[in-house]
Amino acid sequence: MKKILAIIWKDVLLRFSSPVEWLFFLILPVVFTVVLSLGTPNENSDNRSILLVVDEAKTPLSREILQQLEKSPVVRPIETSRQDAEQRFRERKTLFWMLIPEGVSEERLQSGESLPLTFYEQPNQITALAVRRSVQEAIRTVTQSLQAAQFAVEQAESIRPFENENQRLAYFQEAHRLAVQLQEATPERLMVLRENAPDSIPYDPRTNSSAGQLITWVFIPLFGISVLMVSERESRTLARLMTTPTSSGTFLAGTILGQVLMALVQMALLVGFGIIALKVPWGREPLGLAVVLTAGALAAAAFGTFLGTLVRSSSQANNLSIMLGMVMALLGGCWYPLELFPPAVQNVVKILPTTWAMQGMLDLTLRAGSVQDIWLEAGVLLGFAAVFFALGIWRFRKQLA
C-alpha cells in the first residue's frame, strides 16, 4: 500500500509541478462551461429584436410609446443616448434605432401638429419590416386613445365652452385616462393561439454545458495515462522500477488510482461550480451522481491504460489522447445534444464511453432520474472499464515479458 501511495504522490507532484496545469484542470473547464451555457439561448430567453430608443422628449406621451413597445412580441426596446445609438448603428452593432425628438407631447398633438418619429434601419435587413410594423402598431395604439380624448373634448366644448385652458386640459387628461382604460379592457376580437408543443429534445444549455465540459476536460487527462506509461518506458524508469520489489500490478494500481482520484477531485470542483454558479441540479441524487462519476472515470482510465500499451512514443500518446478525447466528446453528445445527430450515428456512438457518461449525467440532472435510472449507464461504463483494464494489463505484462 505504501508503494501505491508513493506512486500516487509522485504522479500528483509531477502533474502539478507547473502552475499551467491549473489552467487545464480548472480554469479552462469553467470558462468553457460558462461561455457555452450563457451563449446558447433557451426557450425562456427573450428572442425579440433589440430596438434602441432615444427619448429626447421625456414627456408622458413618449413614455407611453415606450410602454407600448415593451408589450410588443417582436421588438424589445432599450433606451439609450443619441450618441450611443448613432455610434452603434454606424459600427453596425445594432440593426435599428428610433428617435423620439424633443417636443413630442400631447399638447402639440391637440393643436393638430404632426410629430415625426424617426426610425433608422440598416439596409437589406429582412426583419426590418416586422420591426417597423411593431413600432407603427405601438404609435397607432397610443394615438387612438389621444384621438378619442380629443374628440371627447371637442364634443364637450360644442355643448358648453370651457372656462379656461386649464379646465380644458384637465378634461382632456381625464378623457385620455378613460380612453386608455377602455382600450385595455376591450376584448380581443381576433385571438391568436400559440400551441406550445413539447420539445422532443430535452435541452438546457447550462446543464448540458456543465455535464459535457466536465466529461471533456476530465476524460482527456485520463486518456493521458497512456502518456505516463509511455514516458516511464522511454525514460527507462519503468525498467529500473521493475528491478525493485515492485510488481507490475503495483505500478499500474498506483498510476491508475492516482489519476482516477485526481479526476474525481476535478469532477467534484466542476460539479460544485455548476451548482453554485449555474444552478445545475447536480445534488438531486448524490448516490447516483457518485456512481456515474466513478464509473465514467474508471472507464476513461481503463481506455487510457489500454492506449498506453498500443502507442510507441509519448508524443504519439499525447496527440492521440487529446484527439480521441475531443472526438469522443463531440460524438458522445457532450458539445451538442445527441438527439440532433442522425439515428444511425446515435446508434453507432453507443460504443463510446462518453455517450453513456453523458446519458447518465443528463438522466440525473435534466430528466430528474433516480439512482435506479442510471444503473444501465453505470453498468455499461463499468463494462468498458473491465474490458479495457483486462486488455491493458494483459498487453502491459506482455510488453514487460
Side-chain angles (χ1 to χ4, degrees):
M1 190 64 187
K2 288 184 178 178
K3 294 178 181 177
I4 294 176
L5 292 176
I7 294 173
I8 293 175
W9 183 241
K10 179 260 297 179
D11 288 340
V12 171
L13 292 178
L14 280 176
R15 181 170 177 180
F16 292 97
S17 58
S18 170
V20 177
E21 178 60 28
W22 286 100
L23 184 68
F24 299 95
F25 188 79
L26 190 61
I27 298 174
L28 284 180
V30 167
V31 170
F32 273 79
T33 301
V34 171
V35 169
L36 291 176
S37 62
L38 300 182
T40 309
N42 58 25
E43 58 183 6
N44 296 321
S45 300
D46 191 344
N47 297 320
R48 295 180 296 171
S49 299
I50 294 177
L51 172 66
L52 297 182
V53 178
V54 178
D55 183 10
E56 294 183 340
K58 302 293 183 185
T59 60
L61 178 59
S62 65
R63 306 314 299 175
E64 194 174 344
I65 293 173
L66 276 169
Q67 290 173 3
Q68 286 298 327
L69 285 173
E70 285 283 358
K71 300 175 184 177
S72 170
V74 178
V75 299
R76 177 160 61 95
I78 296 178
E79 198 171 352
T80 185
S81 66
R82 182 167 186 166
Q83 181 182 7
D84 178 59
E86 288 177 340
Q87 181 177 353
R88 292 168 69 175
F89 188 75
R90 188 167 51 250
E91 295 173 354
R92 301 186 69 85
K93 293 181 179 178
T94 185
L95 300 177
F96 324 94
W97 72 281
M98 186 177 74
L99 172 64
I100 305 177
E102 292 182 356
V104 172
S105 64
E106 296 175 355
E107 292 79 5
R108 292 184 63 183
L109 278 180
Q110 290 178 54
S111 64
E113 291 187 50
S114 297
L115 304 177
L117 276 66
T118 310
F119 179 77
Y120 297 86
E121 64 180 60
Q122 300 283 4
N124 302 321
Q125 289 300 319
I126 58 176
T127 56
L129 180 61
V131 173
R132 197 184 320 128
R133 286 187 174 175
S134 296
V135 172
Q136 291 171 343
E137 175 64 21
I139 295 172
R140 185 187 63 81
T141 303
V142 172
T143 54
Q144 274 184 341
S145 59
L146 290 171
Q147 288 172 346
Q150 182 66 25
F151 181 74
V153 169
E154 292 172 358
Q155 293 300 311
E157 205 166 26
S158 65
I159 298 173
R160 187 177 63 182
F162 295 102
E163 295 178 358
N164 51 49
E165 188 59 28
N166 289 336
Q167 187 184 32
R168 187 175 188 279
L169 179 61
Y171 191 90
F172 173 83
Q173 290 175 343
E174 178 62 17
H176 181 224
R177 187 187 65 79
L178 289 174
V180 171
Q181 191 175 0
L182 291 172
Q183 195 176 40
E184 292 176 350
T186 302
E188 296 288 343
R189 301 301 181 190
L190 178 63
M191 295 183 65
V192 178
L193 301 178
R194 178 181 295 175
E195 181 66 27
N196 292 323
D199 194 346
S200 59
I201 302 176
Y203 179 71
D204 176 66
R206 293 174 301 175
T207 303
N208 281 64
S209 299
S210 184
Q213 292 305 306
L214 183 150
I215 294 172
T216 302
W217 291 94
V218 171
F219 272 43
I220 291 177
L222 288 173
F223 291 174
I225 289 177
S226 59
V227 181
L228 290 176
M229 295 176 64
V230 177
S231 297
E232 297 281 5
R233 287 206 310 263
E234 288 180 334
S235 62
R236 303 191 66 79
T237 53
L238 179 60
R240 291 196 293 272
L241 185 65
M242 289 299 105
T243 62
T244 66
T246 303
S247 65
S248 58
T250 302
F251 168 74
L252 283 177
T255 302
I256 296 169
L257 190 58
Q259 298 302 315
V260 170
L261 289 176
M262 282 187 274
L264 291 176
V265 171
Q266 187 181 13
M267 287 176 167
L269 292 174
L270 295 177
V271 165
F273 175 78
I275 294 174
I276 296 172
L278 303 176
K279 309 302 179 188
V280 176
W282 280 113
R284 183 178 288 153
E285 185 63 55
L287 177 60
L289 179 62
V291 170
V292 168
L293 295 183
T294 305
L298 289 174
F303 182 80
T305 304
F306 177 60
L307 185 64
T309 63
L310 297 178
V311 294
R312 296 180 180 276
S313 66
S314 57
S315 61
Q316 189 182 28
N318 187 52
N319 293 335
L320 274 177
S321 60
I322 295 175
M323 184 191 72
L324 291 174
M326 302 289 272
V327 171
M328 286 189 186
L330 172 63
L331 295 178
C334 300
W335 299 355
Y336 304 101
L338 192 59
E339 291 81 357
L340 297 178
F341 293 8
V345 176
Q346 294 182 34
N347 290 326
V348 171
V349 296
K350 288 180 180 176
I351 62 173
L352 303 177
T354 49
T355 303
W356 295 93
M358 190 68 184
Q359 186 75 17
M361 293 183 191
L362 292 184
D363 281 349
L364 293 175
T365 54
L366 197 60
R367 306 182 184 97
S370 63
V371 66
Q372 289 83 9
D373 297 318
I374 51 91
W375 282 125
L376 175 61
E377 289 88 346
V380 174
L381 288 170
L382 292 175
F384 276 120
V387 170
F388 285 122
F389 271 138
L391 290 173
I393 293 171
W394 171 68
R395 284 190 56 84
F396 180 72
R397 287 178 173 170
K398 190 175 178 182
Q399 288 174 343
L400 288 181

